[in-house]
Amino acid sequence: MSAESTRLVIERLGAQGDGIARTARGHAYVPFALPGETVTAAVVGERGTLMALIERAPERVEPPCRHFGTCGGCALQHLEASVYHSWKRDKLVQALAGRGIEVPVDPLVTCAPESRRRAGFTARRTDRGIVLGYNQALSNEIIDIEECPILVPAIVSALPALREVAGIIAATSQPFRLLVTATDSGLDIAAMDSGALSEHARHAAGRYVLKAGFARLSVDGEIVIEPRKPMVKAGDVALEPQPGGFLQAVASAEDAMAALAVGHLGKSRKVADLFSGAGAFTLRLARYVEVHAVEAEAAALGALDRAFRFATGLKRVTLERRDLFRRPLTFKELNAFGGVIFDPPRAGAEDQAKQLARSDVPRVVAVSCNPVTFSRDVATLVEGGYVVKRVVPIDQFLWSPHVEAVALLEKPKKRR
């Protein structure tokens, strides 16, 4: 289908941050266009490519990054901050309203630039050398980046060294992943699908990691070299994340979510932390209350166990390896707890929420990075008798369409 150049008036922002215009054939979605703007766009089907700005919106600002518009990482650097914050909060409001949940939603907890402590890069060996960066939107093309205003400076300043590491370990001409985390003891680099590592490459990579001062390098989950254990803080507890393991992207966002959880559950008789990961919430809650952490990934539970054993002053923590998608805790099991927190992947916790809705657990904290599945799971709890006490949106993913959410819920005691 050939592109058709069309003059469009942008009416609103879509869920992914695209400008939406009405045409004779239906809606057209134009990335990087803002409401109130008149643009020329090349339209194919429903997708438009911005060609020219005819009338600019007053909310349009200069993007801080030279790669904005080609790199697929950010969608909204060109939108004035207060309007951007309102749009992101409203995504959560609309998702809840779509489920019939009309509750006050707090102002957005904002995220500062240069605060994201982990980056998932794509790397590839080419005739010109190693390309390392982010995939262009809706494309397999890698944008070789030189800056990134969302990342902590420790990662940005290491981009040349990260390309060197990628070049040493690349045993394939195919794209591979490089997950880089800034920890208190240095950068933790986890490569995935970079190909079988030869002994020569292993030794060369080890020498370069020592020279660059990185904390750890792993390839497909195997530690190649670890000059220093990569450590982060879960509250005041030191935690060593497993190679390539999940970690909240922004430390201040994790702190905000954990503070809400502790405030809501900190006086419960015992708390279940479902989808606990390596214990970002467990280790903070354990300062005040006994916690039972449930997680499917053995390596994450191992990291949590080590952190707990070396910490002091914590209440009892028990661990259970369990796939909560296949085998959620039943309502009878849940009734042993005075509080529950759950923070599932983007797919949400549909079956677990149904069991929780049937339980008598008095206090629940629901955490999610997906407003659609979050609102679905919260609606399930409300149908089961829970009352939403507070909803807090958190901008952990700056200038992207994604928003984190925390809901605090209570179930009134049954009258006998």
Side-chain angles (χ1 to χ4, degrees):
M1 187 183 296
S2 61
E4 180 181 336
S5 182
T6 309
R7 183 183 175 111
L8 301 172
V9 176
I10 306 300
E11 297 180 352
R12 58 191 173 89
L13 283 179
Q16 299 304 309
D18 299 334
I20 301 179
R22 200 178 317 217
T23 74
R25 298 178 182 176
H27 288 119
Y29 297 83
V30 185
F32 316 121
L34 296 177
E37 293 187 330
T38 302
V39 304
T40 301
V43 180
V44 179
E46 292 186 335
R47 300 296 301 174
T49 300
L50 182 63
M51 306 298 291
L53 275 173
I54 299 171
E55 293 184 21
R56 298 168 62 97
E59 295 82 13
R60 179 175 286 273
V61 297
E62 190 66 26
C65 179
R66 76 183 84 172
H67 302 297
F68 180 69
T70 55
C71 159
C74 292
L76 289 159
Q77 288 188 14
H78 60 308
L79 181 59
E80 190 273 328
S82 65
V83 181
Y84 161 74
H85 294 155
S86 296
W87 172 79
K88 186 159 276 196
R89 174 186 175 275
D90 196 49
K91 285 169 66 71
L92 185 56
V93 172
Q94 291 182 13
L96 290 167
R99 292 281 179 173
I101 303 172
E102 302 284 350
V103 295
V105 174
D106 278 27
L108 184 76
V109 176
T110 61
C111 175
E114 299 185 353
S115 63
R116 187 179 175 109
R117 62 181 173 182
R118 63 187 344 230
F121 296 117
T122 303
R124 185 173 188 175
R125 186 185 296 284
T126 71
D127 293 339
R128 298 178 287 108
I130 289 290
V131 175
L132 183 142
Y134 303 119
N135 282 74
Q136 188 172 359
L138 304 177
S139 168
N140 291 324
E141 182 181 352
I142 303 169
I143 304 302
D144 199 32
I145 66 165
E146 298 180 43
E147 64 183 16
C148 182
I150 66 172
L151 296 178
V152 295
I155 296 179
V156 176
S157 63
L159 285 171
L162 293 170
R163 287 188 178 85
E164 290 289 335
V165 170
I168 294 169
I169 64 174
T172 175
S173 60
Q174 297 301 308
F176 60 94
R177 296 286 288 165
L178 212 65
L179 181 63
V180 181
T181 304
T183 76
D184 295 340
S185 44
L187 296 189
D188 181 20
I189 306 163
M192 289 149 279
D193 301 318
S194 57
L197 197 63
S198 68
E199 281 304 306
H200 173 76
R202 183 182 298 271
H203 289 305
R207 290 193 297 271
Y208 191 82
V209 165
L210 287 169
K211 175 184 174 183
F214 296 147
R216 179 170 67 186
L217 170 66
S218 63
V219 175
D220 292 328
E222 177 192 355
I223 296 175
V224 175
I225 185 170
E226 187 182 70
R228 296 181 301 279
K229 289 193 176 298
M231 305 298 291
V232 297
K233 286 291 184 69
D236 57 0
V237 178
L239 170 67
E240 179 192 349
Q242 70 273 31
F246 175 79
L247 192 71
Q248 298 288 354
V250 175
S252 62
E254 180 180 289
D255 289 342
M257 290 185 283
L260 289 165
V262 169
H264 196 56
L265 303 176
K267 294 183 179 179
S268 304
R269 66 179 186 274
K270 187 177 182 181
V271 169
D273 182 0
L274 309 183
F275 307 95
S276 68
F281 300 130
T282 294
L283 294 168
R284 289 173 168 92
L285 284 163
R287 282 283 170 216
Y288 308 93
V289 64
E290 289 188 16
V291 185
H292 182 63
V294 186
E295 166 62 40
E297 189 179 348
L301 283 178
L304 170 53
D305 185 53
R306 288 190 298 276
F308 170 69
R309 291 179 184 277
F310 281 98
T312 58
L314 299 186
K315 304 287 187 181
R316 184 167 178 253
V317 171
T318 54
L319 310 177
E320 180 180 356
R321 186 182 180 190
R322 183 163 171 171
D323 185 340
L324 293 169
F325 290 109
R326 295 185 177 183
R327 195 162 63 92
L329 264 68
T330 67
F331 70 94
K332 291 182 179 179
E333 291 174 291
L334 290 164
N335 285 341
F337 301 98
V340 168
I341 179 171
F342 65 101
D343 181 14
R346 289 188 61 80
E350 186 171 14
D351 291 338
Q352 186 61 79
K354 289 176 181 177
Q355 290 294 323
L356 193 51
R358 296 177 63 190
S359 78
D360 297 325
V361 177
R363 288 174 173 254
V364 171
V365 176
V367 183
S368 176
C369 62
N370 184 343
V372 175
T373 56
F374 172 78
S375 58
R376 179 201 66 202
D377 293 344
V378 169
T380 297
L381 296 178
V382 170
E383 289 167 9
Y386 280 92
V387 177
V388 180
K389 308 301 287 187
R390 188 179 180 189
V391 178
V392 183
I394 297 173
D395 190 12
Q396 183 164 211
F397 310 102
L398 183 62
W399 295 318
S400 83
H402 306 299
V403 60
E404 200 87 31
V406 179
L408 312 180
L409 302 102
E410 295 180 1
K411 176 172 277 191
K413 290 183 179 180
K414 294 179 181 178
R415 293 183 178 179
R416 299 187 182 275

